[in-house]
Amino acid sequence: MVYTLPKLPYPYNALEPHMDEETVRIHHDMHHNGYVSGLNNAMDKLREARGKQDFALIKHWERELAFHGAGHFLHTLYWESMSPEGGGQPSGKLARQIDEDFGSFETFRKEFSAAAAAVEGSGWALLVYLPEEKRLGILTVEKHQNQLLPGVVPIMALDVWEHAYYLKYKNKRADFIQNWWNLVNWKGIEYRLEDECSGCRCSGC
Ligand code: MN
C-alpha cells in the first residue's frame, strides 16, 4: 500500500451548517477512500505487468492510474481548501495576486463560481498557479483525469461532483457554491502560493 487516506483536517461536523456531517463522512470515508484503493490497485497491477513483461492492458491501467490518482490528489486539496474558520477574504500575497490577475476579489469570486457552475456533469473548479507565467488562473476539470495544463500547480479546489452536495443541496449546485465561499481556507491557500513562489527563481516574488 503506497497511498493511504489522509485524515480530515477537522471533525466531520466542523463545516456545518454549510456542509453537512453526513455528506462529509460519506465523501471522505467512501468516495475519497475509493480513489486511494483504486490508485494502489493500479500501482500493483502496473508492477505485476512490469514483472511479467506483459503490457497488453497498459492503456487500461494507465487510465485507472490517472482517474484514481487525480481523484486522490484533488480530494486531498479539496479538504485542505476548507476550514471551519474559513470564509471572508484572502490577504497578503494571495490577495495582491488575485487583484492583479482578476481585477478584484469580487470579480475572481464571480468568475470562479461561474466556472464551477458550468462544469458539465462531474468535475472540479481549480485555482491554479502558473509558475512559468507567475500568475493565477482558473481551470475546470471534467471528471478528474481529463485535464490539465502541464506544469500548473493547483492551490485551491472545489468539488462539484453531485456527491459533494446532493444530500443537502439536491440539484442546487449554485447554492452549494455560494455557501462554499464561507468555508474557504484562505490562509492555507496563501501558504501554498507562497511555497510555490519561494521555490521559483524569479526576482519578482
Ligand atoms: Mn468528490
Side-chain angles (χ1 to χ4, degrees):
M1 295 271 280
V2 180
Y3 295 95
T4 54
L5 180 66
K7 245 177 85 73
L8 264 191
Y10 32 74
Y12 290 105
N13 64 359
L15 304 179
E16 297 266 13
H18 307 295
M19 199 177 290
D20 59 292
E21 176 175 356
E22 191 182 10
T23 294
V24 173
R25 197 176 282 279
I26 294 173
H27 198 168
H28 178 266
D29 294 4
M30 312 289 282
H31 289 277
H32 188 169
N33 197 39
Y35 292 117
V36 173
S37 307
L39 177 56
N40 282 321
N41 186 46
M43 298 283 284
D44 285 348
K45 291 294 195 284
L46 286 165
R47 199 175 303 112
E48 268 175 47
R50 233 169 274 136
K52 293 183 197 156
Q53 298 284 302
D54 175 4
F55 298 107
L57 294 178
I58 190 74
K59 193 168 171 180
H60 171 73
W61 291 117
E62 286 296 337
R63 279 183 177 155
E64 287 288 292
L65 184 74
F67 180 72
H68 293 288
H72 171 45
F73 176 88
L74 288 173
H75 278 97
T76 302
L77 180 60
Y78 176 62
W79 302 124
E80 290 174 0
S81 293
M82 297 181 286
S83 159
E85 287 86 43
Q89 294 200 15
S91 60
K93 180 175 173 57
L94 178 60
R96 289 195 298 279
Q97 197 70 44
I98 284 176
D99 282 347
E100 195 176 315
D101 296 331
F102 296 96
S104 70
F105 176 71
E106 259 323 297
T107 305
F108 160 70
R109 196 171 126 132
K110 274 189 200 148
E111 186 173 332
F112 190 89
S113 295
V119 171
E120 280 182 29
S122 302
W124 300 78
L126 304 179
L127 175 63
V128 301
Y129 179 65
L130 296 91
E132 290 301 318
E133 300 163 52
K134 298 172 184 51
R135 68 174 179 86
L136 296 169
I138 293 169
L139 285 181
T140 55
V141 179
E142 281 179 25
K143 298 202 269 181
H144 3 251
Q145 72 278 39
N146 300 349
Q147 33 155 229
L148 248 181
L149 276 181
V152 306
V153 182
I155 60 171
M156 175 175 104
L158 168 56
D159 190 341
V160 291
W161 290 56
E162 283 183 349
H163 65 233
Y165 59 88
Y166 212 85
L167 285 180
K168 182 178 174 73
Y169 292 93
K170 305 296 181 284
N171 61 332
K172 306 270 193 282
R173 188 195 285 179
D175 292 352
F176 165 64
I177 294 166
Q178 195 182 345
N179 283 342
W180 186 77
W181 291 105
N182 294 308
L183 299 172
V184 175
N185 176 15
W186 292 114
K187 271 288 157 227
I189 293 156
E190 197 177 324
Y191 290 145
R192 204 166 276 115
L193 176 66
E194 281 167 1
D195 272 0
E196 281 314 308
C197 290
S198 62
C200 94
R201 292 172 301 278
C202 85
S203 54
C205 298

